[in-house]
Coordinates of all heavy atoms in Angstrom, one line a residue:
M19 N 9.8 11.5 -20.8 CA 9.1 11.1 -19.6 C 10.2 10.7 -18.6 O 11.1 9.9 -18.9 CB 8.2 9.9 -20.0 CG 7.4 9.5 -18.8 SD 6.2 8.1 -19.1 CE 5.4 8.5 -20.6
T20 N 10.0 11.1 -17.4 CA 11.0 10.8 -16.3 C 10.9 9.3 -16.0 O 9.8 8.7 -16.2 CB 10.8 11.6 -15.1 OG1 9.6 11.3 -14.5 CG2 10.9 13.1 -15.4
Q21 N 11.9 8.8 -15.3 CA 11.9 7.4 -15.0 C 10.8 7.1 -14.0 O 10.1 6.1 -14.1 CB 13.2 7.0 -14.4 CG 13.3 5.5 -14.0 CD 14.7 5.1 -13.4 OE1 15.6 5.9 -13.3 NE2 14.8 3.8 -13.1
T22 N 10.6 7.9 -13.0 CA 9.5 7.7 -12.0 C 8.2 7.8 -12.6 O 7.3 6.9 -12.3 CB 9.6 8.8 -10.9 OG1 10.9 8.8 -10.3 CG2 8.6 8.6 -9.8
R23 N 8.0 8.7 -13.5 CA 6.7 8.8 -14.2 C 6.4 7.5 -15.0 O 5.3 7.0 -15.1 CB 6.7 10.0 -15.1 CG 5.3 10.3 -15.7 CD 5.3 11.7 -16.3 NE 4.0 11.8 -17.0 CZ 3.9 12.6 -18.1 NH1 4.9 13.3 -18.6 NH2 2.7 12.7 -18.6
A24 N 7.4 7.0 -15.7 CA 7.3 5.8 -16.5 C 7.0 4.6 -15.6 O 6.1 3.8 -15.9 CB 8.6 5.5 -17.3
L25 N 7.6 4.5 -14.4 CA 7.4 3.4 -13.5 C 5.9 3.5 -13.0 O 5.3 2.5 -12.8 CB 8.3 3.5 -12.3 CG 9.8 3.1 -12.6 CD1 10.7 3.3 -11.4 CD2 9.8 1.6 -13.1
N26 N 5.4 4.7 -12.8 CA 4.0 4.8 -12.4 C 3.0 4.3 -13.5 O 2.1 3.6 -13.1 CB 3.6 6.3 -12.1 CG 4.1 6.8 -10.8 OD1 4.2 6.0 -9.8 ND2 4.4 8.0 -10.7
Y27 N 3.3 4.5 -14.7 CA 2.5 4.0 -15.8 C 2.6 2.4 -15.8 O 1.6 1.7 -16.0 CB 2.9 4.6 -17.2 CG 2.3 5.9 -17.4 CD1 3.0 7.1 -17.1 CD2 1.0 6.1 -17.9 CE1 2.4 8.3 -17.3 CE2 0.5 7.3 -18.2 CZ 1.2 8.4 -17.9 OH 0.6 9.7 -18.1
I28 N 3.8 1.9 -15.7 CA 4.0 0.5 -15.7 C 3.3 -0.2 -14.5 O 2.6 -1.2 -14.7 CB 5.5 0.2 -15.7 CG1 6.1 0.6 -17.0 CG2 5.8 -1.3 -15.4 CD1 7.7 0.6 -17.0
A29 N 3.4 0.4 -13.3 CA 2.8 -0.1 -12.1 C 1.3 -0.1 -12.3 O 0.6 -1.1 -11.9 CB 3.2 0.7 -10.9
F30 N 0.7 1.0 -12.8 CA -0.7 1.1 -13.0 C -1.2 0.0 -14.0 O -2.2 -0.7 -13.7 CB -1.1 2.5 -13.5 CG -2.6 2.6 -13.7 CD1 -3.4 2.9 -12.6 CD2 -3.2 2.5 -15.0 CE1 -4.8 3.0 -12.8 CE2 -4.5 2.6 -15.2 CZ -5.3 2.9 -14.1
A31 N -0.5 -0.2 -15.1 CA -0.9 -1.2 -16.1 C -0.8 -2.6 -15.5 O -1.7 -3.4 -15.7 CB 0.0 -1.1 -17.3
A32 N 0.3 -2.8 -14.7 CA 0.4 -4.1 -14.0 C -0.7 -4.4 -13.0 O -1.3 -5.5 -12.9 CB 1.8 -4.2 -13.3
L33 N -1.0 -3.4 -12.2 CA -2.1 -3.5 -11.3 C -3.4 -3.8 -11.9 O -4.2 -4.7 -11.5 CB -2.2 -2.3 -10.4 CG -1.1 -2.1 -9.3 CD1 -1.1 -0.7 -8.8 CD2 -1.3 -3.1 -8.2
M34 N -3.7 -3.1 -13.0 CA -5.0 -3.3 -13.7 C -5.0 -4.7 -14.4 O -6.0 -5.4 -14.3 CB -5.2 -2.2 -14.7 CG -5.4 -0.8 -14.1 SD -6.8 -0.7 -12.9 CE -5.9 -0.6 -11.4
G35 N -3.9 -5.0 -15.0 CA -3.9 -6.3 -15.7 C -4.0 -7.5 -14.7 O -4.8 -8.4 -15.0
T36 N -3.3 -7.5 -13.6 CA -3.4 -8.6 -12.7 C -4.7 -8.6 -12.0 O -5.2 -9.7 -11.7 CB -2.2 -8.6 -11.7 OG1 -2.3 -7.3 -11.0 CG2 -0.9 -8.8 -12.3
T37 N -5.3 -7.5 -11.8 CA -6.6 -7.5 -11.2 C -7.7 -8.1 -12.1 O -8.5 -8.8 -11.7 CB -7.0 -6.0 -10.8 OG1 -6.1 -5.5 -9.8 CG2 -8.4 -6.0 -10.1
A38 N -7.5 -7.7 -13.4 CA -8.5 -8.3 -14.4 C -8.3 -9.8 -14.5 O -9.3 -10.5 -14.8 CB -8.2 -7.6 -15.7
L39 N -7.1 -10.3 -14.2 CA -6.9 -11.7 -14.3 C -7.3 -12.4 -13.0 O -7.1 -13.6 -12.9 CB -5.4 -12.0 -14.6 CG -5.0 -11.6 -16.0 CD1 -3.5 -11.7 -16.2 CD2 -5.7 -12.4 -17.1
G40 N -7.7 -11.7 -12.0 CA -8.1 -12.2 -10.7 C -7.0 -12.4 -9.7 O -7.2 -13.0 -8.6
Y41 N -5.9 -11.7 -9.9 CA -4.8 -11.8 -8.9 C -4.8 -10.5 -8.1 O -4.9 -9.4 -8.6 CB -3.5 -12.0 -9.6 CG -3.4 -13.3 -10.3 CD1 -3.5 -13.3 -11.7 CD2 -3.3 -14.5 -9.6 CE1 -3.4 -14.5 -12.4 CE2 -3.2 -15.7 -10.3 CZ -3.3 -15.7 -11.7 OH -3.2 -16.9 -12.3
Q42 N -4.7 -10.6 -6.8 CA -4.7 -9.4 -5.9 C -3.3 -9.2 -5.2 O -3.2 -8.2 -4.5 CB -5.7 -9.6 -4.8 CG -7.1 -10.0 -5.3 CD -7.7 -8.9 -6.3 OE1 -7.6 -7.7 -6.0 NE2 -8.2 -9.3 -7.4
S43 N -2.4 -10.0 -5.4 CA -1.1 -9.9 -4.7 C -0.3 -8.6 -5.0 O 0.3 -8.1 -4.1 CB -0.2 -11.1 -4.9 OG 0.0 -11.3 -6.3
L44 N -0.4 -8.1 -6.2 CA 0.3 -6.8 -6.4 C -0.3 -5.7 -5.6 O 0.4 -4.8 -5.2 CB 0.2 -6.5 -7.9 CG 1.2 -7.2 -8.8 CD1 1.2 -6.6 -10.2 CD2 2.6 -7.0 -8.3
W45 N -1.7 -5.7 -5.4 CA -2.3 -4.7 -4.5 C -1.7 -4.9 -3.1 O -1.5 -4.0 -2.4 CB -3.8 -4.8 -4.5 CG -4.4 -4.2 -5.8 CD1 -4.9 -4.9 -6.8 CD2 -4.5 -2.8 -6.0 NE1 -5.4 -4.0 -7.8 CE2 -5.1 -2.7 -7.3 CE3 -4.2 -1.6 -5.4 CZ2 -5.4 -1.5 -7.9 CZ3 -4.4 -0.4 -6.0 CH2 -5.0 -0.3 -7.2
G46 N -1.6 -6.2 -2.7 CA -1.1 -6.4 -1.4 C 0.4 -5.9 -1.2 O 0.7 -5.3 -0.2
L47 N 1.2 -6.1 -2.2 CA 2.5 -5.6 -2.2 C 2.6 -4.1 -2.2 O 3.4 -3.5 -1.5 CB 3.3 -6.1 -3.4 CG 3.6 -7.7 -3.4 CD1 4.3 -8.1 -4.7 CD2 4.4 -8.1 -2.1
L48 N 1.6 -3.5 -2.9 CA 1.5 -2.0 -2.8 C 1.1 -1.5 -1.5 O 1.7 -0.5 -0.9 CB 0.5 -1.5 -3.9 CG 0.4 0.0 -4.1 CD1 1.8 0.6 -4.5 CD2 -0.6 0.3 -5.1
F49 N 0.2 -2.2 -0.8 CA -0.2 -1.8 0.6 C 1.1 -1.9 1.5 O 1.3 -1.1 2.3 CB -1.3 -2.7 1.1 CG -2.7 -2.2 0.8 CD1 -3.5 -2.9 -0.1 CD2 -3.2 -1.0 1.3 CE1 -4.8 -2.5 -0.4 CE2 -4.4 -0.6 1.0 CZ -5.2 -1.3 0.2
L50 N 1.8 -3.0 1.3 CA 3.0 -3.2 2.2 C 4.1 -2.1 1.9 O 4.7 -1.6 2.8 CB 3.6 -4.6 2.0 CG 2.6 -5.7 2.5 CD1 3.2 -7.1 2.2 CD2 2.4 -5.6 4.0
Y51 N 4.2 -1.8 0.6 CA 5.1 -0.7 0.2 C 4.7 0.6 0.9 O 5.5 1.4 1.4 CB 5.2 -0.6 -1.3 CG 6.0 0.6 -1.8 CD1 7.4 0.6 -1.8 CD2 5.4 1.8 -2.3 CE1 8.1 1.6 -2.2 CE2 6.1 2.8 -2.7 CZ 7.5 2.8 -2.7 OH 8.2 3.8 -3.1
W52 N 3.4 0.9 0.8 CA 2.9 2.2 1.4 C 3.2 2.2 2.9 O 3.5 3.2 3.5 CB 1.4 2.3 1.2 CG 1.0 2.7 -0.2 CD1 1.8 3.4 -1.1 CD2 -0.2 2.5 -0.9 NE1 1.1 3.6 -2.3 CE2 -0.1 3.0 -2.2 CE3 -1.4 1.9 -0.5 CZ2 -1.2 3.0 -3.1 CZ3 -2.4 1.8 -1.4 CH2 -2.3 2.4 -2.6
T53 N 3.0 1.0 3.5 CA 3.3 0.9 5.0 C 4.7 1.2 5.3 O 5.0 2.0 6.2 CB 3.0 -0.5 5.5 OG1 1.6 -0.8 5.2 CG2 3.2 -0.7 7.0
V54 N 5.7 0.6 4.6 CA 7.1 0.9 4.8 C 7.4 2.4 4.6 O 8.1 3.0 5.4 CB 7.9 0.0 3.9 CG1 9.4 0.4 4.0 CG2 7.7 -1.5 4.3
Q55 N 6.9 2.9 3.5 CA 7.2 4.3 3.2 C 6.6 5.2 4.3 O 7.3 6.2 4.7 CB 6.6 4.7 1.8 CG 7.3 4.1 0.6 CD 8.7 4.7 0.5 OE1 9.6 4.2 1.1 NE2 8.8 5.7 -0.3
S56 N 5.4 5.0 4.7 CA 4.8 5.8 5.7 C 5.5 5.7 7.1 O 5.6 6.7 7.8 CB 3.3 5.4 5.9 OG 2.6 5.7 4.7
Y57 N 6.0 4.5 7.4 CA 6.7 4.3 8.6 C 8.0 5.1 8.6 O 8.3 5.8 9.6 CB 7.0 2.8 8.8 CG 7.8 2.6 10.1 CD1 7.2 2.5 11.3 CD2 9.2 2.3 10.0 CE1 7.9 2.3 12.4 CE2 9.9 2.1 11.1 CZ 9.3 2.1 12.4 OH 10.0 1.9 13.5
H58 N 8.7 5.1 7.5 CA 9.9 5.9 7.4 C 9.8 7.4 7.4 O 10.6 8.1 7.9 CB 10.8 5.4 6.2 CG 11.4 4.1 6.4 ND1 12.4 3.8 7.3 CD2 11.1 2.9 5.8 CE1 12.7 2.5 7.3 NE2 11.9 1.9 6.4
T59 N 8.7 7.8 6.7 CA 8.5 9.3 6.6 C 7.7 9.9 7.8 O 7.8 11.1 8.0 CB 7.7 9.6 5.3 OG1 6.4 9.0 5.3 CG2 8.5 9.2 4.1
G60 N 6.9 9.1 8.5 CA 6.2 9.6 9.6 C 4.8 10.2 9.2 O 4.1 10.8 10.0
Y61 N 4.4 10.0 7.9 CA 3.1 10.4 7.5 C 2.5 9.5 6.6 O 3.2 8.8 5.8 CB 3.1 11.9 7.0 CG 3.6 12.0 5.6 CD1 2.8 12.0 4.5 CD2 5.0 12.2 5.4 CE1 3.2 12.1 3.2 CE2 5.4 12.4 4.1 CZ 4.6 12.3 3.0 OH 5.0 12.5 1.7
A62 N 1.2 9.4 6.6 CA 0.4 8.5 5.7 C -0.6 9.4 5.1 O -0.9 10.6 5.5 CB -0.3 7.4 6.5
F63 N -1.2 9.0 4.0 CA -2.2 9.7 3.3 C -3.5 8.9 3.3 O -3.5 7.8 2.8 CB -1.8 10.1 1.9 CG -2.8 11.0 1.2 CD1 -2.6 12.4 1.4 CD2 -3.8 10.6 0.4 CE1 -3.5 13.3 0.8 CE2 -4.6 11.4 -0.2 CZ -4.5 12.8 0.0
L64 N -4.6 9.5 3.9 CA -5.9 8.8 3.8 C -6.7 9.7 2.9 O -6.7 9.5 1.7 CB -6.5 8.7 5.2 CG -7.7 7.7 5.3 CD1 -7.4 6.3 4.8 CD2 -8.1 7.6 6.8
L65 N -7.5 10.6 3.4 CA -8.1 11.6 2.6 C -7.3 12.9 2.6 O -7.5 13.8 1.8 CB -9.5 11.9 3.1 CG -10.5 10.7 3.0 CD1 -11.8 11.1 3.6 CD2 -10.6 10.2 1.6
S66 N -6.4 13.0 3.6 CA -5.4 14.1 3.7 C -4.2 13.5 4.4 O -4.3 12.4 4.8 CB -6.0 15.3 4.4 OG -6.4 14.9 5.7
D67 N -3.2 14.3 4.6 CA -2.0 13.9 5.3 C -2.4 13.6 6.8 O -3.0 14.3 7.4 CB -0.9 14.9 5.3 CG -0.2 15.0 3.9 OD1 -0.3 14.0 3.2 OD2 0.3 16.0 3.6
V68 N -1.9 12.4 7.3 CA -2.0 12.1 8.7 C -0.6 11.9 9.2 O 0.1 11.0 8.6 CB -2.8 10.8 8.8 CG1 -2.9 10.3 10.3 CG2 -4.2 10.9 8.3
T69 N -0.2 12.7 10.1 CA 1.2 12.5 10.6 C 1.3 11.8 11.9 O 0.3 11.8 12.7 CB 1.9 13.9 10.8 OG1 1.2 14.7 11.8 CG2 1.9 14.7 9.5
R70 N 2.4 11.2 12.2 CA 2.6 10.4 13.4 C 2.6 11.4 14.6 O 2.1 11.0 15.7 CB 4.0 9.7 13.3 CG 4.3 8.7 14.4 CD 5.5 7.9 14.1 NE 6.5 8.5 13.4 CZ 7.3 7.8 12.5 NH1 7.1 6.5 12.3 NH2 8.2 8.4 11.8
E71 N 3.1 12.6 14.4 CA 3.2 13.6 15.5 C 1.9 14.2 15.9 O 1.5 14.3 17.0 CB 4.2 14.7 15.2 CG 5.7 14.2 15.2 CD 6.0 13.5 13.9 OE1 5.4 13.8 12.8 OE2 6.9 12.7 13.9
E72 N 1.1 14.5 14.9 CA -0.2 15.2 15.1 C -1.3 14.3 15.4 O -2.2 14.7 16.2 CB -0.6 16.1 13.9 CG 0.3 17.2 13.6 CD -0.1 18.0 12.4 OE1 -1.2 17.8 11.9 OE2 0.7 18.9 12.0
D73 N -1.4 13.1 14.9 CA -2.5 12.2 15.1 C -2.0 10.7 15.2 O -2.2 10.0 14.2 CB -3.6 12.3 14.0 CG -4.9 11.8 14.4 OD1 -5.0 11.1 15.5 OD2 -5.9 12.0 13.7
P74 N -1.2 10.4 16.2 CA -0.6 9.1 16.3 C -1.5 7.9 16.3 O -1.2 6.9 15.7 CB 0.2 9.1 17.6 CG -0.4 10.2 18.4 CD -1.0 11.2 17.4
V75 N -2.7 8.1 16.9 CA -3.6 6.9 16.9 C -4.1 6.6 15.5 O -4.0 5.4 15.1 CB -4.9 7.2 17.8 CG1 -5.9 6.1 17.7 CG2 -4.4 7.4 19.3
L76 N -4.6 7.6 14.7 CA -5.0 7.3 13.4 C -3.9 6.9 12.5 O -4.0 6.0 11.7 CB -5.7 8.6 12.8 CG -6.2 8.4 11.4 CD1 -7.3 7.3 11.3 CD2 -6.8 9.8 10.9
Y77 N -2.7 7.5 12.7 CA -1.5 7.1 11.9 C -1.3 5.6 12.1 O -1.1 4.9 11.1 CB -0.3 7.9 12.3 CG 1.0 7.4 11.8 CD1 1.4 7.8 10.5 CD2 1.8 6.6 12.5 CE1 2.6 7.4 10.0 CE2 3.0 6.2 12.0 CZ 3.4 6.5 10.7 OH 4.6 6.1 10.2
W78 N -1.2 5.1 13.3 CA -0.9 3.7 13.5 C -2.0 2.8 13.1 O -1.8 1.7 12.6 CB -0.5 3.5 15.0 CG 0.8 4.0 15.3 CD1 1.2 5.1 16.0 CD2 2.1 3.5 14.7 NE1 2.5 5.3 16.0 CE2 3.1 4.3 15.2 CE3 2.4 2.4 13.9 CZ2 4.5 4.1 14.9 CZ3 3.8 2.2 13.6 CH2 4.8 3.1 14.1
L79 N -3.3 3.2 13.2 CA -4.4 2.4 12.7 C -4.3 2.3 11.2 O -4.6 1.2 10.7 CB -5.7 3.1 13.1 CG -6.1 3.0 14.6 CD1 -7.4 3.8 14.8 CD2 -6.3 1.5 15.0
I80 N -3.9 3.3 10.5 CA -3.8 3.2 9.0 C -2.7 2.2 8.7 O -2.8 1.4 7.8 CB -3.5 4.6 8.4 CG1 -4.7 5.5 8.5 CG2 -3.0 4.5 7.0 CD1 -4.4 7.0 8.2
L81 N -1.5 2.4 9.4 CA -0.4 1.4 9.1 C -0.8 0.0 9.4 O -0.4 -0.9 8.7 CB 0.9 1.9 9.8 CG 1.8 2.7 9.0 CD1 1.2 4.0 8.5 CD2 3.1 2.9 9.8
I82 N -1.5 -0.2 10.5 CA -1.9 -1.6 10.8 C -2.9 -2.1 9.8 O -2.7 -3.3 9.3 CB -2.5 -1.6 12.2 CG1 -1.5 -1.4 13.3 CG2 -3.3 -2.9 12.5 CD1 -2.0 -1.1 14.7
A83 N -3.8 -1.3 9.4 CA -4.8 -1.7 8.3 C -4.1 -2.0 7.0 O -4.4 -3.1 6.4 CB -5.8 -0.6 8.1
W84 N -3.2 -1.2 6.6 CA -2.4 -1.4 5.4 C -1.6 -2.7 5.5 O -1.5 -3.5 4.5 CB -1.5 -0.3 5.0 CG -2.2 0.9 4.5 CD1 -3.5 1.1 4.1 CD2 -1.6 2.2 4.3 NE1 -3.8 2.3 3.7 CE2 -2.6 3.1 3.8 CE3 -0.3 2.7 4.5 CZ2 -2.4 4.4 3.5 CZ3 -0.1 4.0 4.2 CH2 -1.1 4.9 3.7
T85 N -1.0 -3.0 6.6 CA -0.2 -4.2 6.8 C -1.1 -5.4 6.7 O -0.8 -6.4 6.0 CB 0.5 -4.2 8.1 OG1 1.3 -3.0 8.2 CG2 1.3 -5.4 8.3
V86 N -2.2 -5.4 7.4 CA -3.2 -6.5 7.4 C -3.7 -6.8 6.0 O -3.7 -7.9 5.5 CB -4.3 -6.3 8.4 CG1 -5.4 -7.3 8.2 CG2 -3.8 -6.3 9.8
F87 N -4.2 -5.7 5.3 CA -4.7 -5.8 4.0 C -3.6 -6.4 3.0 O -3.9 -7.2 2.2 CB -5.2 -4.5 3.4 CG -6.4 -4.0 4.1 CD1 -6.7 -2.6 4.1 CD2 -7.4 -4.8 4.6 CE1 -7.8 -2.1 4.7 CE2 -8.5 -4.4 5.2 CZ -8.8 -3.0 5.3
G88 N -2.4 -5.9 3.2 CA -1.3 -6.3 2.3 C -1.0 -7.8 2.5 O -0.9 -8.5 1.5
I89 N -0.9 -8.2 3.7 CA -0.7 -9.7 4.0 C -1.8 -10.5 3.5 O -1.6 -11.6 2.8 CB -0.4 -9.9 5.5 CG1 0.9 -9.2 5.9 CG2 -0.4 -11.4 5.8 CD1 1.2 -9.2 7.4
L90 N -3.1 -10.1 3.8 CA -4.2 -10.9 3.3 C -4.3 -11.0 1.8 O -4.6 -12.1 1.3 CB -5.5 -10.3 3.9 CG -5.7 -10.5 5.4 CD1 -7.0 -9.7 5.8 CD2 -5.8 -11.9 5.8
L91 N -4.0 -9.9 1.1 CA -4.1 -10.0 -0.4 C -3.0 -10.8 -1.0 O -3.2 -11.5 -1.9 CB -4.1 -8.5 -0.9 CG -5.3 -7.7 -0.7 CD1 -5.1 -6.3 -1.1 CD2 -6.5 -8.3 -1.5
V92 N -1.8 -10.7 -0.4 CA -0.7 -11.6 -0.9 C -1.0 -13.1 -0.6 O -0.9 -13.9 -1.5 CB 0.7 -11.1 -0.3 CG1 1.7 -12.2 -0.6 CG2 1.0 -9.8 -0.9
M93 N -1.4 -13.3 0.6 CA -1.7 -14.7 1.0 C -2.9 -15.3 0.2 O -2.8 -16.5 0.0 CB -2.0 -14.8 2.5 CG -0.8 -14.4 3.4 SD 0.7 -15.4 3.0 CE 0.2 -17.0 3.7
A94 N -3.8 -14.5 -0.2 CA -5.0 -15.0 -0.9 C -4.5 -15.6 -2.3 O -5.1 -16.5 -2.8 CB -6.0 -13.9 -1.2
D95 N -3.4 -15.0 -2.9 CA -2.9 -15.5 -4.1 C -1.9 -16.6 -3.9 O -1.8 -17.6 -4.7 CB -2.3 -14.4 -4.9 CG -3.3 -13.5 -5.6 OD1 -4.5 -13.9 -5.7 OD2 -2.9 -12.4 -6.1
V96 N -1.1 -16.5 -2.9 CA 0.0 -17.5 -2.6 C -0.6 -18.8 -2.1 O -0.2 -19.9 -2.5 CB 1.0 -17.0 -1.6 CG1 2.0 -18.0 -1.2 CG2 1.7 -15.7 -2.2
L97 N -1.6 -18.7 -1.2 CA -2.2 -19.9 -0.6 C -3.7 -19.9 -0.8 O -4.5 -19.4 0.1 CB -1.9 -20.0 0.9 CG -0.5 -20.1 1.3 CD1 -0.3 -20.0 2.8 CD2 0.1 -21.4 0.8
P98 N -4.2 -20.2 -2.0 CA -5.7 -20.2 -2.2 C -6.4 -21.0 -1.2 O -6.0 -22.1 -0.7 CB -5.8 -20.8 -3.6 CG -4.5 -20.7 -4.2 CD -3.5 -20.8 -3.1
G99 N -7.5 -20.4 -0.7 CA -8.3 -21.1 0.3 C -7.9 -20.7 1.7 O -8.5 -21.1 2.7
W100 N -6.8 -19.9 1.8 CA -6.3 -19.5 3.1 C -7.2 -18.3 3.6 O -7.4 -17.4 2.8 CB -4.8 -19.1 3.0 CG -4.2 -18.6 4.3 CD1 -3.7 -19.3 5.3 CD2 -4.1 -17.2 4.7 NE1 -3.3 -18.6 6.3 CE2 -3.5 -17.2 6.0 CE3 -4.4 -16.0 4.2 CZ2 -3.1 -16.1 6.7 CZ3 -4.1 -14.8 4.9 CH2 -3.5 -14.9 6.1
G101 N -7.6 -18.3 4.8 CA -8.3 -17.2 5.4 C -9.7 -17.1 5.0 O -10.5 -17.0 4.4

């Protein structure tokens, strides 16, 4: 098994485990990771590829949504009762 494939299995198990325990911050960190990756590559994936060049409005709306969701999910675990 390649290292990337093994990391995917570990990440999936961690996401499912922490979600079952009632923690959402790992999902928030994943949203923030997706935001950074999409910003650097110029494309995001919703139901299909959305590129910054072909559909800039939707691209930026996706990145804004992912950023907001990421921050809210992390803050919900870090500061209970926040928001």
Side-chain angles (χ1 to χ4, degrees):
M19 187 180 311
T20 65
Q21 182 179 0
T22 303
R23 190 169 172 210
L25 287 174
N26 281 331
Y27 279 95
I28 292 167
F30 182 79
L33 285 167
M34 295 303 106
T36 57
T37 300
L39 293 172
Y41 297 105
Q42 306 302 316
S43 57
L44 278 185
W45 283 105
L47 293 174
L48 186 59
F49 274 115
L50 294 173
Y51 174 76
W52 287 336
T53 301
V54 171
Q55 290 292 87
S56 294
Y57 179 78
H58 288 291
T59 62
Y61 76 93
F63 187 84
L64 194 53
L65 296 177
S66 62
D67 286 336
V68 177
T69 64
R70 188 170 33 215
E71 291 79 27
E72 291 179 14
D73 201 350
V75 173
L76 182 58
Y77 170 83
W78 286 109
L79 288 173
I80 291 168
L81 263 61
I82 290 167
W84 286 351
T85 302
V86 170
F87 291 152
I89 291 169
L90 289 175
L91 288 169
V92 169
M93 294 305 289
D95 283 347
V96 173
L97 299 172
W100 180 82

